[in-house]
Amino acid sequence: ADGLGPARLAWLRGERGRELGQPGGTLRRRAGVLGAFVHSAPLLVGPPSASVQGQGYAKFHAAHKARPAAVYAGAGDGMLHAFDAASGAELFAYVPNALFAALAGLAAPGYQHRPGADGSPGFGEARLGARWRTVLVAGMGMGARGVYALDISNPAAFDKGMGALWEFGAGDDPAMGHVRAAPLVARFRTGSKDGRPVYRDYAVVASGINSGEADGALFLLALDKPAAAKWQLGLNYHRFAAPAANAAAPNALSAPVLAIGGDGSVLAAYAGDLQGSLWRFDFGGEAPWRGAAGQRLFTARDGDGLRQPIAHAPRLVFAPGGGYLVVFGTGRLLERADASPASFAVQSLYAVHDKGAGTELARTSLAPRQARGAGPYVIEGRALSYTGDGARAGWFLDFPRARQDGERSAGTALLAGGVLFADTLAPGADPCAEPVLRSYAIDVLTGLGARAGAADPLASVTTGAVVQGAATAPPVLVDLEVTAGAPGPTGFVPAVRSVGILRAQAGGKAGTGAPLALPMAAGRVSWREVANWQELHREATK
């Protein structure tokens, strides 16, 4: 109504001639034209993966194998920004419809910061009808309840291709909440035709926080839904409930991890919620997977029986004797009260063995581990077996500084060479002091400390204090070098892999801690007699 619409649009696109301080300027003066990147983790996307299988994929891969890398991140200006990874030049910016109404307020001189496109993006190659595409999916963080999908097969010509695919929000399903973690792109087996399996690609996303329902939910959103088509439950999207243990208490389903079968399709999903429940969703049948409602696999409780919130995605590893080991940390930092010493409680790191038996496991069925000392900690515990007499269903470690400093899981752990890298964040009792980030390196199967060539169970523990803003950025594993010894009589080569952990730090810097040496197998690691080698040779040379 004030006639400044065109000026605001130009301001949003980076024009600064109408900012305060310029002749006739009335719009907010900025230090820079980009909004703040707060919780959205940058996503690097290069050429399509060569490992994907499917009809027509080879042609898609050949057409895009020279695609330049691009970096994607959501900002407080309500836009997902795409940058050329080599030059830093902006390729495009996308504004989700759910955030469009807030754009005008960004230019107001009295503007107070509010979250924008604050969710982390994820991506994958997916088949949309008859065409393969590279698809980006992201939540809007605390900016709005919902997620959106984009075709980024050719980011340099985003506006000339399919571009925006769809959005899914609270108006489409009231169970949809605020999503910060990166959604997953995955293939599901939906049925069969003429004796052959039929697949469909979906975005997999948990309902997140502050949804319109007390129960959590896991969503599968069909990536091939036409933009003009309406969302229909059971047709182009599926919702699977994870009922709250206490309907009167706040709850939210956190980001999932997927178990993938030999054909590349999803067998199961695992996710935790803020009331401490660890859920398994089974997708071994056919769509619409009516039996895939969440099954409670485990409830995280401390030694006094108090529930421990699960706020981050678990990790999966194969367990000895079959099944999966589901690894996750507890503790949340979502609102101001979570950093108050009055809320400090014991939080833990868990590894829970899922054999697929369908029974809920208890903390007493896990092997306890204790962290001793002032750091580096000594991780103590008895030998652990997953099979046979005296078998345990996993292990747990209580963070030693939880009651004093509020130590809790800081994010999804990293895995490399059988070693689990888990970060914790301790806000501390002094609100004026910087929080402390600690890093644990633990053998994922035993729950004891990991260090190549060491007889003692020492684990790397603390990296010192970091500012809280940097602590919200997920770490990145960096391979440094591999050293190999002389081969043995069977061809086995002992080798050591050196890895570092890259973390964002204050002032925009990035640093790595001391490298960790991980033992690895190389060369010929096993033998198998091929009795019919002559027959196989004849068949292969016909």
Side-chain angles (χ1 to χ4, degrees), residues 360-399:
E360 183 176 349
L361 300 172
R363 178 181 168 108
T364 53
S365 65
L366 310 180
R369 270 72 182 107
Q370 297 84 32
R372 308 293 188 194
Y377 293 154
V378 176
I379 310 296
E380 299 176 340
R382 294 183 178 181
L384 167 63
S385 175
Y386 292 92
T387 59
D389 295 337
R392 307 304 294 267
W395 55 265
F396 71 89
L397 170 69
D398 291 337
F399 298 130

Side-chain angles (χ1 to χ4, degrees), residues 433-447:
E434 291 181 332
V436 172
L437 185 73
R438 294 186 178 92
S439 181
Y440 294 78
I442 296 177
D443 184 293
V444 71
L445 295 182
T446 68

Side-chain angles (χ1 to χ4, degrees), residues 21-93:
Q22 300 292 336
T26 58
L27 304 179
R28 178 167 64 92
R29 185 174 183 177
R30 299 168 285 184
V33 295
L34 279 177
F37 298 94
V38 184
H39 296 111
S40 179
L43 173 68
L44 176 66
V45 180
S49 170
S51 63
V52 177
Q53 301 293 321
Q55 182 181 3
Y57 185 78
K59 182 178 180 181
F60 169 76
H61 180 265
H64 296 278
K65 64 182 180 181
R67 180 174 66 200
V71 177
Y72 302 86
D77 53 21
M79 306 178 195
L80 176 91
H81 294 275
F83 304 96
D84 183 278
S87 68
E90 187 172 32
L91 300 174
F92 69 85

